[in-house]
């Protein structure tokens, strides 16, 4: 499922927790630039559980670090990081409403590669999108592995593993995962990608005009695992700088 939402920043949370409601829409203009809109909602209980998982350390913390922490989101730092790739914040709100954290974000980007690299560098995960051209002169939108910053080198020696602490962490991880699984029915994710040309073929769940939709919830989450968006659209009247 992770690859399905490469244009989004929080899909890994859904993959790990299954307790997030998220809608993402990407509009691509005729020159390959565009806008990205995200609506994200998570209960405070789930948010607290995710924070506890981050604090545990070890492999669980590494995975959690790949997902954004909107409770401690640094807008200025985020703006600076994405700005290096020409991506800008158009609108942003982050509030608590009816016991849930609700985040709404709209970004503008010069091209999909720049957008993907900006998001990979800011949130990790490495999922990205690019546009290439096929032999028939049509454009192909597909996933690729975006570049992410290398971790900072450390000279500190790893402390000897404490078996008791490791067992306690494992037990705590299981407890926290149980809390998250109790909210699995809350999970829903919708991705919409609007192309600048007529859609010729795609692996989307449905297509309306030039917009392709992928929709995932607790019922089809397992079947969606590993799916990567793939859309072929007409290049007539378009001039998009391709990745190849």
């Amino acid at each position: 499922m992770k690859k399905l939402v490469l244009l989004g920043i929080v899909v890994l949370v859904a993959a790990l927790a299954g307790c997030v409601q998220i809608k993402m829409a990407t509009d691509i203009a005729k020159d390959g630039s565009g806008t990205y809109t995200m609506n994200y909602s998570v209960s405070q209980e789930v948010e607290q559980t995710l924070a506890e998982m981050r604090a545990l350390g070890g492999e669980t913390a590494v995975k959690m670090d790949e997902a954004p922490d909107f409770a401690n989101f640094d807008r200025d730092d985020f703006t600076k990081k994405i700005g290096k790739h020409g991506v800008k914040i158009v609108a942003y709100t982050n509030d608590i409403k009816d016991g849930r954290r609700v985040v709404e974000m709209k970004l503008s980007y010069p091209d999909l590669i720049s957008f993907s690299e900006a998001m990979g560098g800011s949130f990790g995960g490495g999922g990205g999108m690019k546009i290439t051209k096929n032999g028939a002169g049509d454009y192909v939108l597909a996933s690729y592995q975006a570049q992410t910053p290398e971790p900072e080198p450390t000279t500190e020696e790893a402390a000897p593993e404490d078996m008791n602490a490791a067992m306690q962490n494992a037990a705590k991880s299981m407890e926290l995962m149980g809390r998250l699984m109790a909210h699995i029915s809350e999970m829903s994710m919708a991705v919409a990608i609007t192309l600048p040309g007529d859609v010729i073929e795609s692996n989307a769940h449905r297509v309306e005009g030039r917009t392709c939709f992928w929709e995932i919830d607790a019922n089809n989450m397992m079947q969606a695992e590993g799916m990567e968006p793939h859309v072929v659209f007409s290049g007539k009247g378009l001039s998009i700088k391709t990745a190849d």
Side-chain angles (χ1 to χ4, degrees):
M1 182 176 67
K2 178 180 175 183
K3 291 294 184 181
L4 177 62
V5 234
L6 321 188
L7 292 182
I9 37 185
V10 295
V11 71
L12 189 56
V13 181
L16 290 171
C19 333
V20 173
Q21 296 171 2
I22 176 170
K23 294 181 179 180
M24 294 171 282
T26 302
D27 293 323
I28 304 172
K30 291 184 177 181
D31 63 355
S33 64
T35 60
Y36 165 82
T37 304
M38 181 200 69
N39 293 278
Y40 167 94
S41 172
V42 62
S43 70
Q44 288 183 279
E45 179 182 354
V46 169
E47 185 175 62
Q48 176 59 36
T49 301
L50 292 173
E52 290 181 45
M53 293 186 77
R54 286 188 180 92
L56 277 181
E59 183 180 356
T60 299
V62 170
K63 291 180 179 179
M64 284 296 140
D65 284 344
E66 294 177 352
D69 178 8
F70 284 113
N72 299 291
F73 186 75
D74 188 331
R75 177 174 176 171
D76 291 337
D77 182 62
F78 178 68
T79 300
K80 185 183 301 183
K81 286 181 178 179
I82 64 175
K84 295 177 181 178
H85 301 272
V87 180
K88 300 178 181 179
I89 296 179
V90 177
Y92 174 78
T93 60
N94 186 338
D95 300 306
I96 299 296
K97 299 178 181 179
D98 299 324
R100 299 184 67 86
R101 180 169 302 280
V102 178
V103 179
E104 298 180 353
M105 180 186 295
K106 183 175 183 179
L107 308 174
S108 65
Y109 59 85
D111 57 80
L112 282 180
I113 290 289
S114 296
F115 177 72
S116 298
E117 300 295 339
M119 290 309 178
S122 299
F123 288 103
M129 296 293 293
K130 65 179 180 179
I131 294 178
T132 58
K133 217 168 190 179
N134 62 19
D138 297 314
Y139 290 104
V140 180
L141 180 145
S143 63
Y144 86 107
Q145 189 67 21
Q147 295 296 316
T148 55
E150 293 293 329
E152 292 290 334
T154 178
T155 56
E156 296 181 6
E157 294 185 7
E161 183 176 12
D162 184 322
M163 185 60 68
N164 288 333
M167 292 179 66
Q168 290 175 1
N169 276 3
K172 184 64 175 180
S173 294
M174 293 296 291
E175 175 194 339
L176 295 174
M177 189 57 69
R179 283 194 220 165
L180 296 179
M181 292 305 293
H183 294 267
I184 189 68
S185 63
E186 297 177 23
M187 195 283 275
S188 67
M189 183 163 47
V191 179
I193 302 177
T194 300
L195 293 310
D198 293 338
V199 176
I200 297 173
E201 63 178 72
S202 79
N203 66 347
H205 294 157
R206 60 188 175 91
V207 178
E208 295 181 4
R210 292 180 173 179
T211 303
C212 297
F213 295 89
W214 290 264
E215 296 162 329
I216 297 176
D217 57 24
N219 295 320
N220 66 358
M221 182 171 60
M222 297 307 295
Q223 289 81 1
E225 185 69 31
M227 180 182 291
E228 300 180 4
H230 188 276
V231 182
V232 179
F233 61 98
S234 173
K236 185 177 181 180
L238 304 180
S239 180
I240 298 176
K241 181 181 179 180
T242 59
D244 52 359

